[in-house]
Amino acid sequence: MPDTSPFQPRPIDGVIFDMDGLLLDSETLANEALVGAGASLGVDIPPAFCRRLVGVPADGCRALVREAYGPDFPLETFFARQEAHLSALVAAGRLVLKAGVEPLLDYLDRQCLPRAIATSSSRSRTDHHLAQVGLDRRFDAIVTRDDVTRGKPDPEPYLTAARRIGQAPERCLALEDSHSGARAAHAAGIPVIVVPDLLDPTEDIRAKALAVMDDLHAVLDYVRHARAAHPS
C-alpha cells in the first residue's frame, strides 16, 4: 500500500521499470555473489557494504570498491568472480520475478500502454536475465548502462527510455527500488513510485517519490485508478 501521504492519480501514458530488485529478485543474488567473490580472495565483504552498491552502475561500483579496499585490491578479478558466482546462481534457477510483475504487465498489455526498462546492468546481463524469466519480449524498449553515457543517478537512462517509447517524461511513471534509481527518475522529471527491496527509503527519497508501496500489486491498483481518472 502507499505511504500515509495523500496523492492524486496522475495521467500515465507509459511506464518505465527498473530491473534488478524491482522486476527481478536479483539483488540478494548479486550480494551473495559479491560475498562469494570476496571470500575466494580472502576478503570479507560485509552486507552493509553490499547494500551500498545496490542500484549503482558497474563503474560506480568499481569506484566504491576501490575506495573501500584500496588501490592494490584485485578489482577486475573480484568482479569477474562475482559475475561467475552470479551466473551460477542464475543457472541453478534462483532468479525469480518479484511479486506482482506479471499481473502489472498483463494490465499494461490490455491498456496498450508502452513500457520500457531503464537499468544499471549491462546489456549482456540484462538480456540474459530477462530471457531466463521469460520477460525478454514484454517491453517496447530496454535501456542498459551500455546504452547511455551517464548511469543512474543521472537522469539520462530515464530520459532515453521515455524517448524510445515516444512519451513525454512527465506523462510516464517510473518504478524503482533503489535510491540512485529514484533520484534518476526524479531528475528526469518522471513521477516515481518506490517499491523498496534491500534499501529502506530515506526521507530524501520519500520526498522525491510520488509514493512508497509494498509491491507491484499495489502499483497495479494505483495505475488502474490513474487510468480510470485520466483515460486516454
Side-chain angles (χ1 to χ4, degrees):
M1 297 298 293
D3 64 14
T4 55
S5 301
F7 63 98
Q8 296 298 317
R10 302 172 61 103
I12 300 173
D13 293 334
V15 181
I16 305 175
F17 295 77
D18 178 48
M19 184 178 73
D20 295 298
L22 189 284
L23 288 169
L24 309 182
D25 193 6
S26 52
E27 295 290 11
T28 52
L29 301 185
N31 285 2
E32 185 175 334
L34 285 168
V35 172
S40 74
L41 296 169
V43 177
D44 177 50
I45 308 291
F49 180 75
C50 292
R51 287 192 292 272
R52 289 182 62 195
L53 308 185
V54 170
V56 178
D59 46 349
C61 289
R62 279 173 163 73
L64 288 170
V65 172
R66 181 73 77 199
E67 176 186 316
Y69 292 96
D72 296 327
F73 185 78
L75 199 65
E76 296 309 318
T77 300
F78 172 71
F79 279 107
R81 293 188 182 184
Q82 189 249 356
E83 192 67 34
H85 278 280
L86 181 59
S87 295
L89 294 172
V90 172
R94 290 186 53 191
L95 183 65
V96 297
L97 297 178
K98 297 286 285 187
V101 170
E102 290 182 305
L104 177 54
L105 291 176
D106 290 345
Y107 176 79
L108 299 182
D109 286 343
R110 293 192 298 273
Q111 291 286 303
C112 298
L113 276 176
R115 80 297 308 256
I117 288 174
T119 178
S120 294
S121 284
S122 67
R123 170 61 61 179
S124 59
R125 181 187 288 186
T126 299
D127 289 347
H128 181 260
H129 286 189
L130 291 176
Q132 284 288 113
V133 295
L135 294 186
D136 48 320
R137 298 182 181 276
R138 302 212 62 179
F139 294 89
D140 301 295
I142 297 173
V143 178
T144 73
R145 181 63 182 90
D146 298 335
D147 300 312
V148 294
T149 303
R150 298 171 299 279
K152 301 174 185 178
D154 192 272
E156 185 183 357
Y158 272 102
L159 292 172
T160 302
R163 185 171 65 251
R164 289 188 181 179
I165 61 173
Q167 303 299 326
E170 66 273 12
R171 301 281 295 194
C172 292
L173 175 68
L175 302 176
E176 270 287 352
D177 68 292
S178 75
H179 298 171
S180 62
R183 292 186 178 109
H186 182 265
I190 300 176
V192 57
I193 292 177
V194 174
V195 183
D197 181 37
L198 299 185
L199 299 177
D200 291 328
T202 62
E203 288 306 310
D204 167 63
I205 296 303
R206 288 183 180 275
K208 287 178 167 58
L210 180 66
V212 176
M213 297 186 174
D214 291 338
D215 56 33
L216 294 179
H217 291 296
V219 173
L220 174 54
D221 289 341
Y222 170 77
V223 174
R224 281 178 173 149
H225 186 38
R227 291 290 289 174
H230 302 281
S232 297

